[in-house]
Amino acid sequence: MTETALTRRAIMAQAWPIMLGQASVPLVGIIDTIVVGRTGDPLALAGVALGATIINLVFWSFGFLRMGLTGLTAQADGAGEGREVEALLLRGVAIGAALGLVLLALQVPITMLALSVMSGGTGISAEADAYVSARFFGAPAALAVFAITGWLLGLGRTRSALVLQIVMNACNAGLDVALVWGAGLGAGGIGAGTAGAEWIALVTGIALCWRINGAGPLALLRRIPIQHLLDGAALRKLFAVNRDLMIRTIALLLVFTWLASSGARLGATTLAANHVLLQFISVAAFVLDAFAFTAEARVGAAIGAGSYSRFIRAIRLTSEFALAGGALIALAYWLLGASIIDAMITDDATYKAAVVFLPFTALVPFIGAPSWMLDGVFIGATRGKALRNAAVVTTGVYIALDLALRPYGNWGVWIAFTATYLLRAVTLGAYLPSLIRQIRANEPLAKRATRA
């Protein structure tokens, strides 16, 4: 990452491409919801909701490929280790593609197990099965793209990451519309469209990395010694960080899986309404993640360069933007949310069910901003154990709270879910003082003297 001064202008310049790219991710989910929702079939919409929850749980269990690569790449780049930066890309893409092939081979038992645990009835399960079966064909590409995205963000190449995201999401939306409204494939068409877009994104990502490195995959393999690519210490660090991040990601995904399962128990209308409301939360999370991702790159580069002052300033400036953005999004949802829901769906019962719980959706962007920012700080610092422990505690407390509030129906579901954002901030924030002390203690004495 080309070093720039840590100013608000520099933070915003790095964050806005991520913001645009991230905003397009939930917009595709909204388009999918509209494509199915405008058919007036609540079973199909509920099936997509259930299927998307299953795929998110399975695919994003490997989200460490994005998060781990960002922190490690930023640190290697900050330390001036160009060869290691290139090696991280090759390792990440190879691991992602291999894991994706394993998922593709195991798609039948995974789908059967997931639907048996989360069944919402025969009609919903049939639609969900069609969606999930199609999505698995994009698994190798999807996981490799995770690694490419993490590598680009670690280098601060946010505009390249924006191009990758826009290409994937534009193709996703276009294919979904064509396959559902054009070919009448229903929930399976949504899944097939997304899988096709993931393969297009992989080709695009390889081209972007080729341009940055000045060499394609084969050329990189030739110029990086195999001993370096398979360096034991580097691989152990990669797998140690990724192991903890995988546990953390699975724990948090279980929250959303549990949420969908709780909604499914209350019927197709409630499940569909909750899915619509989750699109609002997705938009807020993905947009505000622009500042969390910027924090990842800036924090990682500061640690790689051994600069405590840059580390602290990166946290402060990115957090300022995130909190202000969360407040603005919350206000917009409060004022405009009902109108947006009305434009998304035609089923009156689903609309009424969604509007009742809209206030919870409006609250999440503001109270969720601290937890998202802390994620960015600890990912950039590659402190996987803290992320893992905080997520496991949060998930355990959430499930207990949801079970205790079940007599209150969907009110209990949303109270428990909203509380997870506070739980995440508190549990991860408890590790922040220790992290700050470690970074301060590890700063080279010469830099401390210069700053003094």
Side-chain angles (χ1 to χ4, degrees):
M1 177 173 61
T2 302
E3 181 56 32
T4 57
L6 273 172
T7 63
R8 290 178 179 83
R9 177 175 294 181
I11 292 295
M12 195 63 203
Q14 187 173 344
W16 75 258
I18 307 175
M19 191 178 297
L20 291 180
Q22 288 291 99
S24 68
V25 176
L27 286 179
V28 171
I30 291 172
I31 290 173
D32 291 348
T33 301
I34 293 173
V35 169
V36 178
R38 300 298 295 183
T39 65
D41 183 357
L43 280 180
L45 181 57
V48 171
L50 187 60
T53 300
I54 293 170
I55 286 295
N56 286 339
L57 175 61
V58 175
F59 282 22
W60 275 105
S61 294
F62 303 94
F64 60 78
L65 291 165
R66 204 287 300 164
M67 294 178 284
L69 260 291
T70 298
L72 291 171
T73 301
Q75 290 181 23
D77 189 49
E81 300 174 354
R83 177 177 289 178
E84 178 61 16
V85 169
E86 294 177 344
L88 281 166
L89 173 64
L90 292 177
R91 293 183 196 124
V93 172
I95 292 171
L99 290 173
L101 288 171
V102 172
L103 289 181
L104 180 58
L106 297 176
Q107 65 168 309
V108 173
I110 291 174
T111 303
M112 290 177 61
L113 176 62
L115 289 176
S116 67
V117 173
M118 300 178 58
S119 177
T122 303
I124 297 176
S125 294
E127 295 285 351
D129 180 68
Y131 174 88
V132 170
S133 297
R135 282 296 307 272
F136 268 109
F137 285 96
L143 270 56
V145 169
F146 284 174
I148 291 173
T149 301
W151 187 80
L152 292 172
L153 293 176
L155 290 179
R157 298 276 186 165
T158 55
R159 295 190 184 189
S160 295
L162 171 62
V163 170
L164 176 59
Q165 200 71 64
I166 288 179
V167 168
M168 180 165 65
N169 295 334
C171 292
N172 190 350
L175 288 170
D176 287 353
V177 170
L179 293 173
V180 176
W181 284 353
L185 297 181
I190 297 288
T194 303
E198 286 164 341
W199 283 103
I200 295 172
L202 177 58
V203 174
T204 303
I206 291 172
L208 289 168
C209 294
W210 194 324
R211 181 184 177 189
I212 292 169
N213 291 316
L218 294 178
L220 283 181
L221 284 170
R222 285 195 295 269
R223 78 187 190 192
I224 299 177
I226 191 65
Q227 298 95 326
H228 183 85
L229 197 60
L230 300 179
D231 178 70
L235 287 173
R236 283 193 296 273
K237 183 177 182 180
L238 176 64
F239 283 110
V241 170
N242 286 343
R243 177 199 63 218
D244 291 330
L245 288 175
M246 182 177 186
I247 296 171
R248 171 258 183 198
T249 302
I250 292 173
L252 292 181
L253 286 172
L254 283 173
V255 170
F256 290 90
T257 305
W258 191 276
L259 174 67
S261 180
S262 296
R265 290 191 189 94
L266 298 173
T269 297
T270 299
L271 176 60
N274 288 353
H275 178 67
V276 171
L277 292 174
L278 280 174
Q279 304 311 309
F280 286 80
I281 294 176
S282 293
V283 170
F286 279 109
V287 169
L288 295 178
D289 265 348
F291 302 112
F293 288 1
T294 301
E296 291 177 23
R298 290 288 183 170
V299 165
I303 292 174
S307 176
Y308 169 79
S309 60
R310 284 170 53 190
F311 169 77
I312 292 297
R313 188 164 175 80
I315 295 175
R316 182 169 65 81
L317 294 184
T318 52
S319 296
E320 286 177 3
F321 279 109
L323 290 171
L328 289 174
I329 294 173
L331 179 61
Y333 284 177
W334 186 270
L335 297 175
L336 304 174
S339 298
I340 297 172
I341 293 172
D342 185 49
M344 291 175 66
I345 55 179
T346 58
D347 182 65
D348 189 56
T350 303
Y351 167 80
K352 291 178 179 178
V355 169
V356 169
F357 299 98
L358 179 63
F360 288 100
T361 302
L363 185 62
V364 167
F366 184 68
I367 67 171
S371 65
W372 296 325
M373 285 308 304
L374 285 167
D375 279 347
V377 171
F378 281 85
I379 289 170
T382 59
R383 295 306 194 269
K385 290 183 179 179
L387 289 158
R388 177 199 66 196
N389 294 343
V392 169
V393 170
T394 294
T395 302
V397 174
Y398 160 69
I399 292 174
L401 186 59
D402 180 81
L403 291 172
L405 294 174
R406 285 211 170 157
Y408 300 95
N410 208 34
W411 287 99
V413 169
W414 277 99
I415 290 171
F417 176 72
T418 305
T420 62
Y421 293 98
L422 298 175
L423 289 168
R424 287 171 62 183
V426 170
T427 53
L428 194 51
Y431 288 94
L432 187 58
S434 175
L435 174 62
I436 292 174
R437 287 194 298 269
Q438 289 174 17
I439 302 303
R440 179 70 177 86
N442 291 333
E443 184 180 45
L445 292 175
K447 292 194 176 184
R448 294 190 209 173
T450 300
R451 190 175 67 249

